[in-house]
Amino acid sequence: MSRAPRFRDRARAFAIVVGAFVAVCSNGHAEAATCGGAKLISGATMTPDPPPLAKPAKGVELDEPNFHTCLRRVTDHAAEGIEGYSRSDYSRREPYNADGSLFFTNAHNGAWYLYDAKTLKNLGVLKTLHGDAEPQWDPKSPTTLYYGERNGGLVISAVDVKSGATRVVIDLHGKLPWKNAARAWTKSEGSPSRDARYWGFQVETDDFKILGFAIWDVKQNKLTGTIDTKDRPDHVSMSPSGRWLVASGSSVIAYSRDFKTQRQVAKHGEHSDIAVCANGHDCYASIDYDSNEGWIYFFDIDTGTRTDLLRTYFNSAAAAMHFSGKAFDKPGWVLISTYKPGGPKQWYFDKIFAMELEADPRIYQLGNHRSNGRESYAAEPQAVVNHDFTRILFDSNWDATTDQKKPGGQDVDAYEIRLPKNAFP
């Protein structure tokens, strides 16, 4: 969910710091390959425009020219017989499984595809998933994938992607206080708790009218609480700890599991994600387009405190951006990808970068996505990070200028940036 950013005349200087490390990444074979020079660009540093670079073939490992990170294209929808695109679904949805051996993508026709993360082989369609099935990997079992019904239903199932066996994990039939409840879902952008124990839902009628919110405890096999609402949000999600259900809409509200405690997180819902802060708290990261400075900020849900991180309004410049807080094993960091810039060029335009969730944060620039995000929603980079911040999946049409409104004109594939485990603190 996003509204057009308002431009402000503001400026701020940032120190240029260069953090040095040797970038070594796997090329998918038995031996490791050294990618690029040796340094990440640290801080709010202006970098040259991306140099001309032909669209790489699938699987070819490249040195990202300006940033010297390891880059490779991981899907080729045309060669794989997939119309329009095979792309990472969203910045809030973790595509990699528990041990990083598999990842999934979404196609223009609503199908979901499974890939081998090492060889990049397309392993075929996930036949049990359709449309907005909201897939979620099990945090421990590498072959277990949870999924719901198309556009939400009252059942969450699990499929073993190796054997194809399925089982029911959550069945809400007859367990909700609303007799006309027909669907319980996150509306495509939410996640269960980090351990997959707590699942939060917005509950709706068959014609998508909101009834309320509900939280299910898989371990106890029961509801922890429900609450009525008349305000249909853009989406809901459990926080990583499972302590909060966060509903993002005209405002952003966090609810405790029993719904007895409510906390306003933000006045307006924008693109965002919920990350683990360095102190272990649940932190909501987003951008405040209504502030005079266009602040990127985080809100500590457990303490109710906001910390402003970075001004984005410079001389009437601004950009849209997505957030990914899925690096649960590297607490205190969030991934940001920007697109649709406006105004005088700024360092953060069309970039993918890591930002620390601390006052006066450290920033590490990781790459340009080379996607013309103005062409279509599918062409937005929507970068997502894995749990230990060693893999980043993003979407790109590689500066395409074709008619993106036509399915065949989307021409979007998924690309991967890989980092060593200690690329930054």
Side-chain angles (χ1 to χ4, degrees), residues 142-163:
T143 63
T144 300
L145 184 66
Y146 302 112
Y147 65 96
E149 301 171 62
R150 186 196 302 268
N151 295 326
L154 297 180
V155 173
I156 299 294
S157 301
V159 59
D160 186 307
V161 297
K162 185 175 181 179
S163 70

Side-chain angles (χ1 to χ4, degrees), residues 281-296:
H281 291 183
D282 293 316
C283 288
Y284 172 94
S286 187
I287 183 168
D288 185 354
Y289 289 128
D290 287 335
S291 62
N292 288 335
E293 310 293 350
W295 284 106
I296 294 174

Side-chain angles (χ1 to χ4, degrees), residues 106-112 125-135 147-157 182-188 204-206 208:
N106 186 233
H108 180 265
N109 64 1
W112 298 84
V125 174
L126 291 162
K127 296 180 180 179
T128 58
L129 278 65
H130 305 283
D132 286 338
E134 303 186 327
Y147 65 96
E149 301 171 62
R150 186 196 302 268
N151 295 326
L154 297 180
V155 173
I156 299 294
S157 301
R183 63 186 80 249
W185 62 331
T186 72
K187 202 166 171 282
S188 302
E204 301 175 352
T205 64
D206 188 58
F208 298 96

Side-chain angles (χ1 to χ4, degrees), residues 49-365:
D49 290 335
L53 184 65
K55 182 188 291 188
K58 176 179 173 178
V60 173
E61 190 173 78
L62 299 175
D63 166 29
E64 218 295 339
N66 283 342
F67 303 93
H68 301 297
T69 49
C70 303
L71 171 69
R72 66 174 179 169
R73 180 180 176 186
V74 296
T75 69
D76 186 341
H77 70 276
E80 295 164 19
I82 303 172
E83 183 183 28
Y85 55 75
S86 179
R87 66 191 294 276
S88 178
D89 181 54
Y90 198 59
S91 55
R92 299 171 61 95
R93 190 175 306 285
E94 171 62 81
Y96 297 100
N97 67 341
D99 64 5
S101 62
L102 301 168
F103 67 90
F104 58 70
T105 66
N106 186 233
H108 180 265
N109 64 1
W112 298 84
Y113 287 86
L114 186 68
Y115 287 81
D116 185 307
K118 182 177 181 180
T119 66
L120 304 184
K121 180 180 179 181
N122 185 333
L123 301 176
V125 174
L126 291 162
K127 296 180 180 179
T128 58
L129 278 65
H130 305 283
D132 286 338
E134 303 186 327
Q136 305 284 346
W137 286 108
D138 184 271
K140 294 183 179 179
S141 170
T143 63
T144 300
L145 184 66
Y146 302 112
Y147 65 96
E149 301 171 62
R150 186 196 302 268
N151 295 326
L154 297 180
V155 173
I156 299 294
S157 301
V159 59
D160 186 307
V161 297
K162 185 175 181 179
S163 70
T166 62
R167 59 185 172 88
V168 173
V169 178
I170 300 173
D171 188 345
L172 296 176
H173 286 95
K175 300 181 178 71
L176 296 169
W178 307 284
K179 293 182 179 180
N180 55 340
R183 63 186 80 249
W185 62 331
T186 72
K187 202 166 171 282
S188 302
E189 295 184 19
S191 304
S193 59
R194 178 181 180 178
D195 59 4
R197 175 176 177 175
Y198 297 105
W199 293 67
F201 304 104
Q202 58 186 73
V203 182
E204 301 175 352
T205 64
D206 188 58
D207 57 353
F208 298 96
K209 292 182 179 178
I210 189 71
L211 295 170
F213 304 132
I215 298 175
W216 186 264
D217 182 342
V218 172
K219 184 176 180 179
Q220 297 292 327
N221 196 36
K222 66 179 184 180
L223 290 167
T224 69
T226 62
I227 192 171
D228 295 338
T229 186
K230 296 181 180 179
D231 184 11
R232 186 174 191 253
D234 178 75
H235 65 273
V236 299
S237 182
M238 291 303 297
S239 66
S241 73
R243 290 187 291 269
W244 304 95
L245 171 72
V246 180
S248 180
S250 54
S251 64
V252 183
I253 306 294
Y255 300 87
S256 60
R257 285 199 300 267
D258 58 8
F259 290 98
K260 292 181 180 179
T261 300
Q262 299 182 24
R263 183 163 291 160
Q264 185 174 52
V265 175
K267 293 181 179 179
H268 300 289
E270 306 288 357
H271 287 155
S272 64
D273 203 3
I274 312 168
V276 178
C277 270
N279 61 5
H281 291 183
D282 293 316
C283 288
Y284 172 94
S286 187
I287 183 168
D288 185 354
Y289 289 128
D290 287 335
S291 62
N292 288 335
E293 310 293 350
W295 284 106
I296 294 174
Y297 70 96
F298 76 90
F299 183 90
D300 186 322
I301 304 174
D302 294 302
T303 63
T305 56
R306 167 172 159 161
T307 301
D308 291 335
L309 299 173
L310 177 73
R311 290 186 177 102
T312 63
Y313 291 164
F314 299 93
N315 300 322
S316 299
M321 55 190 66
H322 285 285
F323 296 79
S324 181
K326 300 307 178 189
F328 300 148
D329 296 335
K330 196 174 183 68
W333 291 89
V334 69
L335 181 76
I336 300 175
S337 53
T338 69
Y339 63 104
K340 291 185 179 179
K345 182 185 175 183
Q346 304 298 325
W347 72 267
Y348 61 83
F349 280 9
D350 291 323
K351 290 277 183 68
I352 298 172
F353 58 95
M355 175 173 284
E356 187 179 22
L357 297 176
E358 295 285 354
D360 192 19
R362 287 172 286 191
I363 300 168
Y364 291 94
Q365 300 184 40

